Amino acid sequence: MDVILLGAGVSGLSAGLELARRGARVTLLDRGTLGGESTWAGAGIVFPLLPWQYGADFNRLALTSLAHYPDWVEQLRELSHTDPEYLVSGLLVLPPIEEEAAPWCAEHGLQCGAPPADLPGFALPPPDSLWLPQVAQIRNPRLARALAEAIRALGGHIEDNVAVEDIGLQGSRLTSVRAGGKIYRADHFVLATGAWSSLPLANLPALPAIRPVRGQMLLYPPGRHRLQQIVYQDGFYLVPRKDGHLLAGSTLEFGSYAKETNETGRRRLHQRASGLLSGLPEPIRHWAGIRPGSPDNLPVVGPHPDYVNLYLNVGHYRYGVTLAPTCARLLADQMTGAVPELPTAPYSLQAASARTWPEPAV
Ligand SMILES: Cc1cc2nc3c(=O)[nH]c(=O)nc-3n(C[C@H](O)[C@H](O)[C@H](O)COP(=O)(O)OP(=O)(O)OC[C@H]3O[C@@H](n4cnc5c(N)ncnc54)[C@H](O)[C@@H]3O)c2cc1C
């Protein structure tokens, strides 16, 4: 099977790798730098914040992914000879904590409880906080690099900085893509263009179920904090990297495709970070990425109802890194006729189109 994947963020790359593993000849085309959009901008937390606030269809995907992650990363490391720095650093959730949190964890087999008194970085974590020791993070830019290397190791091709100019169509069948002045032909096509799937792509229509949601992040230098675990409080998080850098995020800004940062975002995030860790210096970097937003955070993974050989892996919103292994498998199962490990109906375009977007809180 020859497959062209449009978009080389984590969704295109993970799907490309899964298909290549199953013997497909894959080509990924990206109009920018591979992994350079939302995939680069994120925090790389491999966990929903917070799962007991999400619905069953989302958590089924997320929990399956959490189970796959260690093996997935191990295979990736072997194929790519690149370490994406998957690190089980644990998650400390500071109050307020919903009543259902502990029962939810118990029901789903996740360890959680009171934090140990000697958690690095906090003189004394508040006793009513919640400690989830199994939660992991990954260095998302390195994950993209590792996925790309693994695809190449299996004979796949990735071309970035090529703009799609036209899509060849015969009735409801895609035949080719013209990009960067070259024609690429394949049996199957996958759209993995993240937030930009909400816009028309050449002669393919937009997916209105997806919307852009900007997120700003701050980066602090190593050396001024001792934090080693991810900390979350009321919509805000801190993520300490292995090398001591500290990420703080993130904003949720609806409707913008512009990766601009602003002073309001910087001030809000810095205030929250300094409120949790006293003595933090000024951030050394401030950036924004555009999430592929979807109602209920449910991605669209499966066939496009209007084209016989077009598949979708889009709309992963806040959790594209977390969901990557499972969505890649679900997509490849549907493309190769294998029995999917999860029900696919909740992740269809039809289901996504029937969901409504809540009015965004300002
Ligand atoms: C601030 C922030 C924090 C986040 N934190 C986390 C986290 O901690 N954990 C987590 O799991 N997720 C997190 N996310 C979400 C996660 O980053 C996204 O869900 C994920 O990156 C989506 O991947 P994608 O490949 O679908 O999209 P993208 O990474 O945006 O990739 C889409 C690709 O398509 C390409 N493209 C677009 N249009 C075209 C076209 N016409 N032709 C060719 N190529 C095209 C783009 O250039 C891009 O490379 C975060 C996101 C942000 C912004």
Side-chain angles (χ1 to χ4, degrees):
M1 180 199 277
D2 285 304
V3 184
I4 290 176
L5 298 105
L6 300 172
V10 70
S11 306
L13 289 164
S14 53
L17 176 60
E18 187 60 32
L19 288 162
R21 271 202 187 121
R22 299 185 192 198
R25 285 179 299 270
V26 301
T27 302
L28 284 89
L29 303 175
D30 197 296
R31 67 169 177 196
T33 314
L34 77 87
E37 291 291 349
S38 190
T39 296
W40 179 89
I45 302 168
V46 183
F47 197 72
L49 299 169
L50 292 160
W52 46 89
Q53 297 172 356
Y54 287 106
D57 287 333
F58 174 81
N59 278 326
R60 200 176 303 118
L61 273 185
L63 290 167
T64 309
S65 254
L66 299 185
H68 285 316
Y69 235 96
D71 283 350
W72 188 65
V73 169
E74 202 39 55
Q75 288 170 16
L76 190 57
R77 208 183 273 131
E78 275 170 24
L79 269 174
S80 67
H81 306 289
T82 303
D83 180 10
E85 287 190 17
Y86 177 74
L87 181 68
V88 180
S89 51
L91 168 70
L92 179 69
V93 185
L94 298 174
I97 293 168
E98 292 92 342
E99 265 175 27
E100 60 269 34
W104 190 93
C105 290
E107 188 188 336
H108 294 90
L110 270 177
Q111 288 174 34
C112 87
D118 56 351
L119 221 46
F122 279 88
L124 211 53
D128 47 352
S129 45
L130 199 66
W131 172 233
L132 292 99
Q134 297 158 305
V135 173
Q137 56 167 293
I138 198 159
R139 256 334 235 275
N140 29 313
R142 290 181 193 207
L143 172 64
R145 226 181 304 144
L147 286 164
E149 286 310 316
I151 290 171
R152 291 187 182 117
L154 293 177
H157 296 283
I158 304 174
E159 299 200 24
D160 55 2
N161 298 304
V162 286
V164 174
E165 291 135 13
D166 194 24
I167 308 275
L169 281 170
Q170 263 177 10
S172 63
R173 178 172 291 279
L174 275 68
T175 54
S176 62
V177 172
R178 182 156 54 82
K182 272 169 71 179
I183 305 275
Y184 299 83
R185 296 185 195 283
D187 312 312
H188 294 281
F189 296 78
V190 176
L191 194 70
T193 47
W196 296 272
S197 56
S198 54
L199 298 171
L201 171 57
N203 36 343
L204 287 182
L207 304 178
I210 313 299
R211 294 189 188 173
V213 183
R214 181 168 63 194
Q216 299 185 46
M217 299 274 294
L218 298 181
L219 181 74
Y220 294 92
R224 297 289 286 275
H225 69 92
R226 291 198 312 117
L227 207 63
Q228 286 178 19
Q229 62 285 331
I230 304 164
V231 178
Y232 176 88
Q233 186 172 43
D234 199 15
F236 173 78
Y237 53 76
L238 293 169
V239 183
R241 294 299 197 211
K242 216 173 179 175
D243 64 6
H245 281 95
L246 183 71
L247 293 164
S250 58
T251 62
L252 276 177
E253 302 165 65
F254 292 82
S256 175
Y257 293 96
K259 284 188 292 181
E260 289 163 6
T261 58
N262 55 41
E263 185 48 32
T264 312
R266 200 197 81 92
R267 200 176 48 246
R268 272 195 203 156
L269 293 172
H270 185 54
Q271 264 172 6
R272 301 263 337 239
S274 309
L276 289 179
L277 291 181
S278 56
L280 268 186
E282 288 295 311
I284 50 172
R285 257 188 108 171
H286 179 196
W287 67 80
I290 312 298
R291 304 178 187 89
S294 54
D296 303 332
N297 269 277
L298 286 172
V300 180
V301 185
H304 193 298
D306 300 334
Y307 300 91
V308 290
N309 59 344
L310 176 62
Y311 291 81
L312 306 167
N313 193 21
V314 295
H316 303 74
Y317 200 178
R318 303 185 70 185
Y319 301 111
V321 170
T322 305
L323 303 181
T326 302
C327 290
R329 286 163 72 121
L330 270 192
L331 182 81
D333 287 343
Q334 292 176 81
M335 291 179 70
T336 59
V339 178
E341 63 181 327
L342 297 177
T344 55
Y347 319 115
S348 65
L349 184 61
Q350 294 92 327
S353 307
R355 284 182 203 111
T356 50
W357 271 89
E359 281 308 309
V362 181

